[in-house]
Amino acid sequence: MQLSRRVLLAASLSAPAATLAPRFALADAVDPRMAQRSFGSANAKVVVEEWFSLTCTHCARFAMDVFPDIRKKLIDAGRIRYVFCDFPLDRVALMAAQVARALPPERYEAFVLSLLSNQDRWAFVQDGNPEDQLRKMSALAGMSADNFDRVVNDVTLQNAILAEQNRAEAAYKIDSTPTFRFNDDVYRQGELTYDAFAQKVADAEKAVGVHAAQ
């Protein structure tokens, strides 16, 4: 999905973006909802960041077709630590990212993967409002209707997500989603097959002196 967030977000948000801050400083100093959402061994030699949008069909396909093998063979096996990073391409994706981050951290991964695998039920619903459908999805994850309303109208959280997005765009020249970072190697060409992803991990392991079979 080609990057279109500047136009789409500008058209749908009136609040200014927050001032750029160092990575995760917002989590430490202000808002625990912006803490890193990472999974896997803290001792893994390879850290993989995925910059994704919850309304990106390429991100959805990757989540459904490739991520299950990544979870089993690389994350659970201790070879990588995986970090989910928000890069919403439109107002609906931003709203969904707000809801995901407002959930208890232990519910984050399952909720994000559910949103990605069910985009047609909420983001691209034919007869309905994406916000109403997202409300239903959040209820299934344990969020009350009142809390949902507070979260999707929380300008502070919106700005925190956009500030992290702006920082990543400036640092990594992201122009599409998904974009991946394998330690210091940024891959901007979109989806990867499992084999291609595993090769990127192996290359990163080799760069830090780790030998592991795919």
Side-chain angles (χ1 to χ4, degrees):
M1 178 179 291
Q2 290 302 309
L3 183 68
S4 57
R5 75 172 184 90
R6 290 188 181 279
V7 174
L8 292 170
L9 288 176
S12 57
L13 291 174
S14 58
T19 302
L20 282 177
R23 187 175 188 188
F24 306 128
L26 289 167
D28 297 335
V30 180
D31 194 337
R33 296 173 297 182
M34 290 303 297
Q36 186 184 82
R37 296 295 189 257
S38 64
F39 306 89
S41 173
N43 297 319
K45 299 300 183 182
V46 178
V47 177
V48 180
E49 296 173 342
E50 180 190 352
W51 296 89
F52 71 101
S53 172
L54 286 163
T55 55
C56 168
T57 57
H58 300 284
C59 298
R61 187 161 55 226
F62 178 82
M64 290 186 289
D65 297 344
V66 181
F67 187 76
D69 280 340
I70 292 171
R71 171 47 109 168
K72 179 181 179 180
K73 299 176 183 179
L74 298 174
I75 300 174
D76 293 346
R79 287 181 61 186
I80 67 172
R81 180 162 58 89
Y82 201 90
V83 185
F84 286 104
C85 304
D86 301 306
F87 203 90
L89 296 180
D90 53 47
R91 176 65 182 88
V92 174
L94 175 59
M95 180 171 57
Q98 291 172 240
V99 173
R101 284 199 167 270
L103 288 170
E106 64 271 17
R107 299 182 196 169
Y108 178 88
E109 180 184 2
F111 184 67
V112 163
L113 294 176
S114 178
L115 291 183
L116 287 169
S117 62
N118 292 281
Q119 280 181 345
D120 58 331
R121 291 180 52 193
W122 67 277
F124 306 124
V125 62
Q126 295 298 313
D127 299 311
N129 184 316
E131 183 171 340
D132 292 338
Q133 299 306 315
L134 181 60
R135 184 192 301 271
K136 294 177 183 178
M137 298 283 284
S138 68
L140 293 174
M143 180 176 286
S144 70
D146 287 345
N147 194 25
F148 177 88
D149 289 335
R150 284 193 294 271
V151 167
V152 298
N153 291 292
D154 189 332
V155 175
T156 298
L157 182 56
Q158 287 178 359
N159 286 345
I161 291 171
L162 294 177
E164 281 291 276
Q165 183 179 27
N166 288 340
R167 182 202 62 79
E169 184 177 23
Y172 308 134
K173 313 304 180 191
I174 299 174
D175 62 1
S176 62
T177 56
T179 289
F180 301 93
R181 185 178 181 224
F182 299 83
N183 285 348
D184 293 326
D185 179 29
V186 181
Y187 180 84
R188 305 179 184 84
Q189 284 73 53
E191 299 169 71
L192 287 163
T193 64
Y194 174 76
D195 288 343
F197 188 99
Q199 184 60 56
K200 286 284 187 183
V201 171
D203 291 344
E205 289 174 330
K206 183 178 180 181
V208 295
V210 176
H211 176 73
Q214 291 178 224

